[in-house]
Amino acid sequence: PGYYYEWGGQFENLRAARARLAAAVPATLLLIFVILFMTFNAAKPALLIFLNIPFAVIGGVIALAARGLPFSISAGVGFIALFGVAVLNGLVLVSFARQLEAAGGSPHGAIAESARLRLRPVLMTALVAALGFVPMALSTAPGSEVQRPLATVVIGGLISATLLTLLLFPAVYSLAHRKRAAAP
């Protein structure tokens, strides 16, 4: 009686970092949605662009699993960085598609043309970001055990987000606008 134990050291630091990450990720996602909503003054385009985040998460999780890396704090930070680039790719497509629609195009034709004409900018954004993380992902130097999960998440997520944004996102956009496209 009268004795108790308390965790400290690295374990306590890890627990505190996880708590901060558990607050930072939802806050980041909410902030991204609010900024997108303010950009378009509408929920529909914001939600469509927000759909790119799950596209990115898929690749990040698969990349971690393929490399046998556990989910860590640095991997969580990598997901936060990844969300920004994934949203940027969707923003490029939706913004251009809305411009084409404003000029008289149908939603289906506008997003198809947007994906075709914005292929290079979307690929270049993803490629530059992914190539910048390759040295971190391949490093075996001291301290690289922290960098590797972050870089792996970003590279894997950028691959899936870019492919799914260019291939699947136009179909989702068309489906979301099918009533407007069918109206005379």
Side-chain angles (χ1 to χ4, degrees):
Y3 289 96
Y4 64 95
Y5 67 92
E6 188 174 299
W7 294 101
Q10 286 185 347
F11 180 79
E12 181 58 31
N13 291 338
L14 177 63
R15 210 166 77 186
R18 277 194 180 155
R20 285 191 301 272
L21 188 63
V25 170
T28 301
L29 293 172
L30 179 64
L31 184 61
I32 288 170
F33 181 77
V34 168
I35 291 170
L36 288 171
F37 183 83
M38 289 174 23
T39 300
F40 294 105
N41 290 323
K44 191 175 197 176
L47 286 171
L48 282 169
I49 294 169
F50 204 74
L51 181 64
N52 283 336
I53 291 175
F55 291 170
V57 170
I58 290 168
V61 170
I62 290 172
L64 280 176
R67 292 199 65 198
L69 297 171
F71 181 81
S72 63
I73 301 303
S74 62
V77 172
F79 277 111
I80 291 173
L82 178 60
F83 296 162
V85 179
V87 166
L88 178 64
N89 285 346
L91 186 61
V92 167
L93 288 182
V94 170
S95 295
F96 194 68
R98 287 173 60 102
Q99 287 175 5
L100 293 174
E101 286 179 55
S106 71
H108 177 72
I111 194 64
E113 189 70 5
S114 178
R116 188 179 70 76
L117 293 176
R118 293 295 174 228
L119 173 67
R120 191 174 302 150
V122 168
L123 286 177
M124 288 305 295
T125 300
L127 189 61
V128 166
L131 288 177
F133 282 101
V134 168
M136 285 173 57
L138 300 177
S139 178
T140 57
S144 65
E145 60 277 350
V146 174
Q147 298 172 350
R148 248 178 304 183
L150 185 146
T152 299
V153 163
V154 172
I155 293 169
L158 284 174
I159 291 169
S160 70
T162 303
L163 291 174
L164 292 172
T165 297
L166 292 170
L167 300 174
L168 184 60
F169 185 76
V172 172
Y173 186 92
S174 291
L175 285 173
H177 291 89
R178 70 178 171 257
K179 287 182 184 174
R180 228 178 64 205

